[in-house]
Amino acid sequence: MDGSPATILIVDDLPANRLVLERQIERLGHRGLSVENGQRALEALRVERIDMVLLDIMMPVMNGFETLEVMKGDPSLAHIPVVVVSALNDVENVARCISLGAEDFLFKPVDRVLLEARIESCLSRKRLHDREQAAHAAAEAANAAKGRFVSLVAHELKSPITALIGYTDLLTHSGEQPPTPFQQEHLLRMRKLGTLLATLIDDLSDLSRIESGHLQLSPRPLALAAAARAAVAALEGELKARRQRLRVEIPADLPLVWGDDIRLNQILLNLLGNASKYTPDEGEITVVAVRRDAAVEVTVRDTGVGISPADAPHIFEPFYRARSAAVTRQPGSGLGLSITRHLVELQGGRIWFTSEPGVGSAFTFSILMLPADLTRGAVDAAWPADLTLR
Ligand code: ADP
């Protein structure tokens, strides 16, 4: 429509009125399309590309109020500006139309100058709306293309890296020709770097799926103690290598939670991994879970480097890392906490932290308890094997 003639729908039951408006509209360089009642107007609006509507109020079959109500309740029509055309003494009905969402009004007989002014102001608003819509659609398309690109690249990179990790394991453990200590040390380094790359690829692919709303979760009843045990087991080597002490305080009678086990594991691994990375050797890490209202709160506390007040507002942002040497000498992409926060929120929980530089940090997330309508009996029947709670 930019600069080009607009299509204006004239809705009036009197042919003479329609004709006058059509002529005036054509003289202004636009196209007038006439119908005789609201019902016909809605039919036209659904098939034609209409830029604005001039709407009479009193009409048979469907009057102006009903037409406005339908238009404003339909997201595909609500943005089309409507100017009510009414008799001079009809102020009350005009006011009602405005409250129903009409943009403006004109009195009959329609003054040519006022008509031109109303059309121009409505069309410039419509143009702005159309431009915003086009920009929004273009941004969405670009984002979707980016998402597809990231998924494709992630997939293509992941397979060779997984194979490389497999070959380093083969060389380390095949037993055919045991590696020398020098070779062993470098194989270990290669494995570490490979794993780091694989994690980065997984994180990028997760972030892209979260941003596009395509991350699927499969919640089911879970025992937090078991989830914590699995995460701790995965990080045991790292904790031992740094001689960090770990305390896990999860009450045996903690209720089941409602979550996705893979994603809960990812959350715990991220928080525990960070606690270990950003805590000096021989530091202490504690995992505590408590029940609070309808949720369970899990806190991972460390005696590490802490987070400065300047960094605190940013650490959940993707790719953000504190600039201190204690942080930058550790491997990381700055994606972990941003993904963790999304994963917690997607499962209905919240995440927050407290920290004191040089003393330590405590990250807490909540996860919903099993919904009350899933009775213990129903759960046992559905997932008997998984409920190995102490
Ligand atoms: P990464 O660890 O890969 O840098 P994260 O998103 O997990 O990325 O964390 C973002 C930043 O938050 C870290 O770079 C670090 O500055 C800070 N941070 C996270 N956890 C801790 C922690 N337990 N102690 C101190 N700083 C932390």
Side-chain angles (χ1 to χ4, degrees):
M1 184 184 56
D2 258 316
S4 55
T7 302
I8 300 172
L9 184 66
I10 304 155
V11 194
D12 198 311
D13 56 326
L14 294 182
N17 287 349
R18 298 200 295 264
L19 204 64
V20 171
L21 283 172
E22 255 179 54
R23 291 257 164 80
Q24 292 191 343
I25 285 169
E26 267 154 32
R27 230 171 279 143
L28 292 171
H30 299 298
R31 173 178 169 240
L33 187 72
S34 288
V35 292
E36 66 270 27
N37 60 48
Q39 200 168 3
R40 284 277 137 73
L42 293 173
E43 285 163 16
L45 282 162
R46 296 211 161 95
V47 290
E48 292 267 346
R49 201 186 175 298
I50 307 285
D51 296 304
M52 71 175 279
V53 179
L54 292 174
L55 183 68
D56 185 22
I57 302 179
M58 295 308 170
M59 291 175 288
V61 185
M62 186 186 258
N63 63 29
F65 306 126
E66 293 165 307
T67 314
L68 263 172
E69 251 164 346
V70 176
M71 278 186 74
K72 296 301 164 186
D74 180 338
S76 67
L77 304 179
H79 64 282
I80 300 175
V82 177
V83 171
V84 183
V85 186
S86 80
L88 195 53
N89 56 3
D90 210 8
V91 176
E92 247 170 58
N93 282 336
V94 168
R96 189 170 152 205
C97 286
I98 301 274
S99 70
L100 284 172
E103 208 82 2
D104 213 330
F105 60 94
L106 284 165
F107 288 128
K108 293 178 196 171
V110 173
D111 177 271
R112 198 179 54 82
V113 178
L114 280 181
L115 175 69
E116 183 172 1
R118 298 287 199 271
I119 288 178
E120 280 321 308
S121 93
C122 280
L123 291 185
S124 65
R125 240 168 296 168
K126 173 77 172 19
R127 270 182 214 120
L128 194 67
H129 174 273
D130 288 354
R131 249 180 262 141
E132 276 170 7
Q133 286 291 100
H136 185 70
E140 294 231 308
N143 212 19
K146 184 194 81 181
R148 282 195 300 276
F149 174 74
V150 172
S151 296
L152 184 87
V153 172
H155 182 78
E156 293 300 312
L157 288 175
K158 191 69 194 287
S159 318
I161 284 166
T162 311
L164 281 176
I165 295 173
Y167 289 128
T168 54
D169 286 348
L170 191 70
L171 286 174
T172 314
H173 305 294
S174 78
E176 263 199 14
Q177 212 176 27
T180 63
F182 175 82
Q183 287 167 334
Q184 183 121 29
E185 187 192 326
H186 287 88
L187 281 169
L188 199 69
R189 282 200 189 147
M190 280 166 68
R191 192 183 204 290
K192 257 194 170 169
L193 290 173
T195 311
L196 212 67
L197 261 182
T199 311
L200 177 62
I201 292 164
D202 285 342
D203 282 354
L204 281 173
S205 149
D206 275 353
L207 192 70
S208 139
R209 277 197 287 167
I210 288 168
E211 281 178 351
S212 65
H214 286 142
L215 188 81
Q216 295 266 324
L217 298 188
S218 314
R220 61 189 188 95
L222 298 174
L224 212 113
R229 269 200 302 273
V232 166
L235 284 174
E236 219 164 17
E238 220 159 290
L239 296 171
K240 261 196 192 137
R242 307 196 57 184
R243 298 182 304 284
Q244 289 166 334
R245 271 168 302 142
L246 177 76
R247 261 189 317 128
V248 182
E249 292 171 13
I250 300 184
D253 60 350
L254 201 66
L256 292 178
V257 294
W258 183 241
D260 177 309
D261 56 349
I262 294 175
R263 299 307 178 174
L264 177 61
N265 182 259
Q266 194 174 345
I267 294 167
L268 287 164
L269 277 179
N270 257 320
L271 296 183
L272 272 167
N274 278 351
S276 172
K277 274 198 300 188
Y278 303 121
T279 297
D281 291 358
E282 292 171 13
E284 189 169 311
I285 296 164
T286 321
V287 182
V288 181
V290 292
R291 177 184 174 162
R292 180 132 16 244
D293 303 325
V296 168
E297 285 181 4
V298 185
T299 300
V300 178
R301 188 183 301 281
D302 63 52
T303 55
V305 295
I307 296 162
S308 75
D311 290 317
H314 305 291
I315 63 156
F316 287 107
E317 291 167 10
F319 302 106
Y320 189 86
R321 306 195 76 203
R323 278 192 205 95
S324 68
V327 167
T328 50
R329 71 167 160 257
Q330 293 295 336
S333 62
L335 283 176
L337 279 183
S338 135
I339 292 170
T340 300
R341 184 172 73 177
H342 283 294
L343 293 179
V344 168
E345 289 174 356
L346 281 170
Q347 296 179 80
R350 269 187 340 111
I351 182 165
W352 64 97
F353 69 93
T354 55
S355 185
E356 200 178 322
V359 177
S361 312
F363 281 81
T364 304
F365 70 92
S366 59
I367 182 158
L368 295 177
M369 270 164 39
L370 192 63
D373 55 345
L374 275 181
T375 61
R376 182 79 204 186
V379 171
D380 281 345
W383 294 280
D386 268 29
L387 299 175
T388 47
L389 262 183
R390 277 172 301 145

